Structure formats: structure tokens, C-alpha cells
Amino acid sequence: RPNQREIINANLANRDIFVCMPTGGGKSLTFQIPAIIQYGVTLVVMPLLSLIQDQTTFLTGLGIKVLFLNSEGSKELEGNYNALFHAENEEDMCKMIFLTPEKIAQSPRTISLLERLYREKLLLRCVIDEAHCVSQWGREFRPDYLNLKILKRKFPNLPILAITATAPNKIREDVISQLSMVNTIFFRSSYNRTNLYIEIRNKKDYKD
């Protein structure tokens, strides 16, 4: 789909990227493909547990190893670090870690995990879904999203992919500034959905 190849290539080039793409435009594929083909781990921050469950169920069904860092995921991580991130067979490695912004903001153990992955050069990038939630200019601002600014402070060489379906210039610039993104590449896809149409009909043509 439009811009997917370019965004994937920018990811593989370790650039900071801001993507504004409509719902159903194929945002997930832009980070899933780089995550799968590279050696290392992609961190994916999403606002809702239901969104994370959809992603993890889909990817697991394809045989892709991912980790949902909730209470159950934390238990799986204990004692299994090497098995998850240093597997002899790359197909057995955990490719993506999914978590909410609250997990980063409120869990020192999560930060400790990310620090270890970063030291071992296994942390490839951080994907921030619904990135407009970072900006205090937006109606959907969430304080824990703003705390994601810690990522560039702790991991200055960590590429960030910020993706959203809605971001006026003011919000986009604020998100990029708040997250300390550098030389950011911006992609915007058309909101024209060719598979959808609107038709207006006269009510008198229909019976109750």
C-alpha cells in the first residue's frame, strides 16, 4: 500500500519516523516486517490491552514469537531471558515486546529489561502507536504517553517510529519535540478509502 515500502526502508535505515496513516492503511506491517527480518527486538507501545491482544494473537498464529509484557508476560520472562532473546535458532527468538505506556512509566523492572537489551544491542526500535496521545495539544492526551520521553534520554540511539491516524501539524511537531526525535522523516498517506463510499438515498424509497 502507499508509503509502506518507504516506511519499512526508513525503519531498516534506523531513522526516526513519524507516520500519519488512516485506520486500515497498513500501519502495522511497517514495523512487523522489519521486526521479523532483523536480529533483535522491537518494542511496541499501544494504548489499549485489546489492541495488544489482537496483535499478539495474530502474530503468534503466524508462528512469530512475541511477548505481551503484562503480569503473565513478566512471569514468562523470569528465568527465560536467554531463551527469549538469545535463542540458537533465530525463529525461536522473541521478535516484538508489546506493552502499554503505563508499563514503561511505572515499572522499574521494565526499564531494567530495556536497559539490558540496549546494552546487548538487541533493542532495534520503539514503535509508539496512537502517538498523538503524547501531545498535550490533543484531546486524547495521556500523561503516561508523555513519560515516553524517557526513552531517548536513556537510549539515545534508539530509533522511534511514531504512528497515528490523526495528527495536525501542531500536534505532530509537539510529539516529535516531546520524544526528542532527530532528523525525523514524515510520511502521510491519503485518507481517500477507495473501498468505501457514501450514498444518499431518499427515505421515501424505503418502507418501514
Side-chain angles (χ1 to χ4, degrees):
R1 296 180 185 178
N3 284 332
Q4 282 182 322
R5 181 191 300 273
E6 292 80 3
I7 297 167
I8 289 168
N9 286 337
N11 269 311
L12 295 174
N14 297 323
R15 297 293 301 271
D16 283 346
I17 310 162
F18 193 102
V19 173
C20 192
M21 185 181 286
T23 302
K27 294 188 288 290
S28 295
L29 203 64
T30 63
F31 65 81
Q32 289 171 350
I33 287 181
I36 292 166
I37 66 176
Q38 288 184 293
Y39 185 90
V41 185
T42 293
L43 185 69
V44 185
V45 180
M46 289 186 157
L48 301 174
L49 297 179
S50 58
L51 295 176
I52 293 176
Q53 287 166 347
D54 287 345
Q55 285 272 341
T56 54
T57 299
F58 172 73
L59 292 166
T60 301
L62 295 176
I64 299 164
K65 183 74 174 178
V66 298
L67 184 65
F68 179 5
L69 207 57
N70 57 4
S71 56
E72 292 302 315
S74 298
K75 291 177 183 176
E76 182 182 352
L77 186 59
E78 291 177 9
N80 290 327
Y81 180 90
N82 287 331
L84 286 167
F85 306 117
H86 290 286
E88 292 183 9
N89 187 342
E90 189 175 344
E91 292 181 357
D92 295 330
M93 285 184 61
C94 178
K95 290 294 187 177
M96 286 169 262
I97 297 175
F98 289 84
L99 72 176
T100 61
E102 288 79 8
K103 194 73 172 175
I104 292 177
Q106 302 172 12
S107 172
R109 292 181 67 185
T110 298
I111 294 298
S112 178
L113 166 66
L114 299 181
E115 287 174 336
R116 182 173 180 181
L117 289 170
Y118 187 75
R119 286 195 306 270
E120 297 176 7
K121 301 188 185 304
L122 288 173
L123 195 58
L124 294 176
R125 71 186 54 82
C126 178
V127 180
I128 301 176
D129 191 25
E130 306 294 350
H132 61 277
C133 295
V134 172
S135 176
Q136 298 182 68
W137 293 106
R139 291 179 299 156
E140 298 180 56
F141 168 68
R142 284 173 58 172
D144 282 312
Y145 258 88
L146 188 59
N147 289 332
L148 295 177
K149 62 175 65 176
I150 193 177
L151 291 170
K152 279 289 192 179
R153 288 205 299 265
K154 283 192 167 290
F155 317 116
N157 296 322
L158 179 68
I160 289 180
L161 169 61
I163 56 180
T164 180
T166 172
N169 291 340
K170 188 176 186 179
I171 289 178
R172 182 180 82 244
E173 292 169 1
D174 188 36
V175 171
I176 290 172
S177 174
Q178 294 290 351
L179 297 177
S180 301
M181 297 168 69
V182 180
N183 296 325
T184 307
I185 304 177
F186 173 50
F187 294 95
R188 181 191 294 275
S189 295
S190 171
Y191 280 72
N192 178 32
R193 301 279 295 277
T194 56
N195 61 321
L196 302 178
Y197 70 93
I198 298 174
E199 181 179 355
I200 300 174
R201 297 185 180 184
N202 195 319
K203 183 177 179 180
K204 292 186 294 184
D205 294 339
Y206 295 89
K207 297 181 181 180
D208 294 336

